[in-house]
């Protein structure tokens, strides 16, 4: 069996293109720094120009590439593209001194691009505004997917983007808005940008400063969770309007963006009939009811809030905190309004379980995804029928269509791999002398791209206490979860690198 011959030129050409995007967004952060006169404009400009220079060099050196890309090259571009972006994304932190060590800067950057939202920063509010904006921007770029962004201009390279979309598109729901994949990417990004602009405006009208509003909009729509405040969204516990606006957009970010396209086209019936959306809505409603009732009758929210006290009464506060935390964890955004581990032991375990749910396929959320749970549940119930009627043909149906056995087996395989990855992740963290609660919390949170974990790394703590090797392990799990396991794990198999 001979080794495969890869089209390395197009791989590095694409890396160069990604770096041009990265450098361009760094220059926007430079502009923010200049506007707010935060003292690091020159450093951010240097980081942006260096990234643009590396990207331009890579593109020029590989301009005579062969205009074709197979699946192997697509997987390599997606997996290593995220790593290349994360490596260069550390520059704004390093050159400004906001994060002095490479390990911590890489962790923060990977957490940003994978929209995990875990942070090693002890005092966020002292950071220069240009650096804070760059930090939120890494969420926004990673949210819809670095690769999907670049697909929109792949025709300039004369390359079709289907292989990349297959590797990058989150979840098994491969709905396309338009026959051409580049047009699909453009429409998704237009919706993404529109939602971000709308949330920025609404948050500003509700009382946030423009800077806080745009940063939180970037974090919300990407389901990331980076905040400009040490207390996260608890900083605005005396302003419920702000929290309800963020909740609304967290809900939208956790839904399939294809459904948003249908909404704007007036095809509401497609949304109402979508099995995944119905279950996603029902999950959130049911889980919020459980959380709100327990908070109201059993927990003292005022003792667990990070910043401000309740303002509209116990009932509203219980509902708001319950809905907020359910949405934040289900959509893997990771914002917090209170220390939910202080409410009741049941709710601590409850929210830990929600880390394995995830948002909808085709959303910016991480996790297992609702559609996979739906198909597993349906297949599980059919197994009872098959036991009674072994000769009956009983296919799993999704949106009134039969699903092939291959898709069901793929989802079963994914779920098994996900749980194995979670167990191995927890074992890895336990090697750093962590207690059981902290180890499994870190593993579930990193793999699900949630952000806050349990134990020593709960919602009011950060990841600064994680040892250097632990930060690298967490970074790997974040990437593994963000690219839905297969894209990374397939690169670790010997047959991927052979012809047969």
């Amino acid at each position: 069996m001979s080794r495969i011959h890869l089209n390395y030129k197009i791989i590095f050409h694409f890396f160069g293109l990604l770096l041009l995007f990265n450098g361009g967004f760094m220059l926007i952060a430079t502009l923010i720094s200049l506007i707010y006169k935060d003292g690091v404009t020159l450093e951010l400009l240097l980081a942006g120009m260096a990234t643009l220079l590396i990207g331009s060099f890579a593109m020029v050196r590989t301009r005579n590439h062969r205009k074709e890309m197979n699946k192997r090259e697509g997987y390599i571009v997606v997996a290593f593209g995220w790593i290349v972006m994360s490596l260069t994304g550390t520059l704004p932190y390093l050159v400004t001194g906001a994060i002095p060590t490479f390990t911590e800067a890489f962790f923060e950057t990977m957490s940003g691009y994978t929209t995990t939202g875990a942070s090693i920063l002890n005092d966020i509010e002292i950071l220069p505004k240009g650096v804070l904006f760059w930090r939120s921007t890494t969420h926004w770029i990673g949210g819809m997917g670095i690769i999907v962004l670049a697909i929109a201009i792949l025709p300039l390279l004369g390359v079709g983007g289907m292989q990349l979309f297959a590797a990058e598109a989150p979840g098994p729901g491969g709905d396309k808005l338009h026959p051409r994949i580049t047009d699909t990417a453009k429409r998704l990004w237009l919706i993404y940008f529109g939602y971000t602009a709308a949330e920025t405006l609404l948050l500003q009208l509700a009382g946030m400063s423009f800077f806080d509003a745009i940063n939180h909009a970037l974090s919300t729509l990407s389901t990331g969770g980076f905040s400009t405040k040490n207390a996260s969204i608890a900083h605005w516990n005396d302003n419920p309007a702000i929290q309800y606006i963020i909740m609304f957009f967290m809900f939208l970010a956790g839904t399939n963006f294809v459904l948003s396209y249908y909404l704007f086209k007036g095809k509401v019936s497609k949304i109402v009939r979508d099995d995944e959306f119905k279950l996603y809505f029902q999950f959130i409603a049911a889980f919020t009811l459980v959380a709100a009732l327990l908070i109201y009758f059993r927990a003292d929210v005022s003792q667990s809030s990070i910043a401000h006290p309740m303002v509209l009464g116990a009932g509203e506060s219980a509902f708001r905190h319950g809905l907020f935390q359910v949405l934040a964890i289900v959509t893997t955004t990771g914002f917090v309004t209170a220390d939910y581990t202080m409410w009741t032991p049941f709710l601590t375990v409850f929210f830990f379980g929600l880390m394995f749910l995830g948002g909808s396929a085709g959303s910016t959320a991480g996790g297992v995804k609702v559609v996979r749970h739906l198909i597993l549940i349906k297949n599980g119930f059919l197994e009872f029928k098959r036991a009674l009627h072994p000769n009956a043909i009983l296919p799993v149906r999704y949106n009134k269509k039969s699903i092939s056995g291959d898709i069901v087996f793929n989802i079963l395989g994914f779920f098994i791999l996900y749980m194995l990855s979670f167990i191995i992740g927890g074992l890895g963290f336990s090697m750093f002398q962590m207690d059981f609660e902290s180890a499994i919390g870190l593993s579930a949170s990193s793999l699900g791209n949630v952000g806050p974990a349990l134990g020593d790394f709960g919602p009011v703590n950060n990841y600064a206490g994680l040892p250097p090797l632990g930060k690298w392990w967490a970074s790997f799990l974040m990437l593994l979860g963000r690219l839905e396991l297969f894209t990374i794990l397939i690169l670790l198999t010997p047959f991927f690198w052979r012809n047969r």
Side-chain angles (χ1 to χ4, degrees), residues 474-496:
S475 298
F476 171 73
L477 291 175
M478 289 177 203
L479 185 64
L480 183 65
R482 181 63 180 88
L483 296 183
E484 308 226 335
L485 308 186
F486 292 119
T487 309
I488 297 296
L489 296 179
I490 197 171
L491 299 179
L492 304 180
T493 59
F495 55 79
F496 180 86

Side-chain angles (χ1 to χ4, degrees), residues 150 216 236 239 303 308 328 338 340 351 357 374-375 423 426 466 484:
H216 285 87
W236 291 279
N239 191 335
Q303 293 299 314
H308 300 286
Y340 53 79
F351 286 124
L357 184 58
L374 176 62
I375 291 170
I423 293 166
L466 203 56
E484 308 226 335

Side-chain angles (χ1 to χ4, degrees), residues 223-428:
T223 65
F226 280 157
S227 176
T228 55
K229 303 297 182 184
N230 292 329
S232 187
I233 310 304
H235 183 85
W236 291 279
N237 272 355
D238 60 348
N239 191 335
I242 285 175
Q243 296 183 349
Y244 281 115
I245 290 167
I246 289 173
M247 282 187 261
F248 175 72
F249 283 98
M250 278 197 290
F251 178 82
L252 285 179
T255 61
N256 190 333
F257 271 70
V258 173
L259 298 184
S260 290
Y261 177 78
Y262 290 146
L263 177 65
F264 294 126
K265 295 289 283 186
K267 300 177 180 178
V268 179
S269 60
K270 282 203 169 193
I271 302 170
V272 175
R273 291 198 302 263
D274 186 79
D275 288 346
E276 183 185 31
F277 178 78
K278 286 188 287 188
L279 187 62
Y280 171 67
F281 183 84
Q282 289 163 2
F283 272 160
I284 288 171
F287 296 149
T288 299
L289 181 64
V290 171
L293 287 173
L294 280 167
I295 292 168
Y296 185 79
F297 288 108
R298 298 290 301 277
D300 185 355
V301 177
S302 62
Q303 293 299 314
S304 58
S305 292
I306 302 173
H308 300 286
M310 299 173 287
V311 294
L312 293 181
E316 184 278 335
S317 182
F319 170 76
R320 176 161 44 95
H321 284 285
L323 177 59
F324 193 99
Q325 290 310 148
V326 165
L327 279 168
I329 294 176
V330 168
T331 64
T332 71
T333 308
F335 283 141
V336 293
T337 60
D339 184 0
Y340 53 79
T341 62
M342 297 293 291
W343 288 342
T344 68
F346 177 86
L347 281 176
T348 301
V349 178
F350 178 75
F351 286 124
F352 172 71
L354 293 188
M355 292 181 186
F356 294 90
L357 184 58
S360 305
S363 73
T364 57
V368 175
K369 300 293 192 300
V370 173
V371 68
R372 289 196 179 98
H373 288 286
L374 176 62
I375 291 170
L376 285 172
I377 291 166
K378 286 191 172 188
N379 187 62
F381 277 112
L382 283 177
E383 286 299 327
F384 293 126
K385 289 186 178 180
R386 290 174 187 138
L388 292 172
H389 308 286
N391 297 321
I393 299 173
L394 300 167
V396 177
R397 293 187 178 276
Y398 175 69
N399 286 343
K400 297 183 179 178
K401 295 178 182 177
S402 296
I403 293 176
S404 72
D406 289 343
I407 292 176
V408 176
F409 286 132
N410 178 280
I411 290 171
L412 285 168
F414 176 89
F415 192 77
I416 291 167
L417 276 176
Y418 195 93
M419 296 311 295
L420 280 173
S421 299
F422 161 67
I423 293 166
I424 294 169
L427 286 170

Side-chain angles (χ1 to χ4, degrees), residues 35 60 69 74 87 95 119 129 153 177 186 201-202 218 251 277 327 383 401 405 419 467 496:
I35 291 169
V60 170
M69 182 181 288
L87 287 171
V95 297
S119 181
K129 282 186 163 53
I153 63 166
L177 312 182
K186 288 173 185 175
L201 178 62
L202 289 172
L218 293 172
F251 178 82
F277 178 78
L327 279 168
E383 286 299 327
K401 295 178 182 177
M419 296 311 295
F496 180 86

Side-chain angles (χ1 to χ4, degrees), residues 7-21 54-69 73 76-77 81 84 150 153-159 164:
N7 185 355
Y8 288 105
K9 280 195 173 183
I10 198 170
I11 291 171
F12 282 96
H13 196 79
F14 202 88
F15 289 164
L17 181 65
L18 292 176
L19 292 181
L20 292 184
F21 277 119
I54 297 168
S56 301
F57 177 77
M59 291 195 76
V60 170
R61 291 284 295 177
T62 57
R63 63 184 179 276
N64 297 322
H65 58 273
R66 192 170 72 252
K67 303 284 196 298
E68 56 184 73
M69 182 181 288
E73 288 149 357
I76 289 169
V77 166
V84 166
I153 63 166
L154 268 181
L156 297 176
L157 307 180
V159 180
L164 296 177

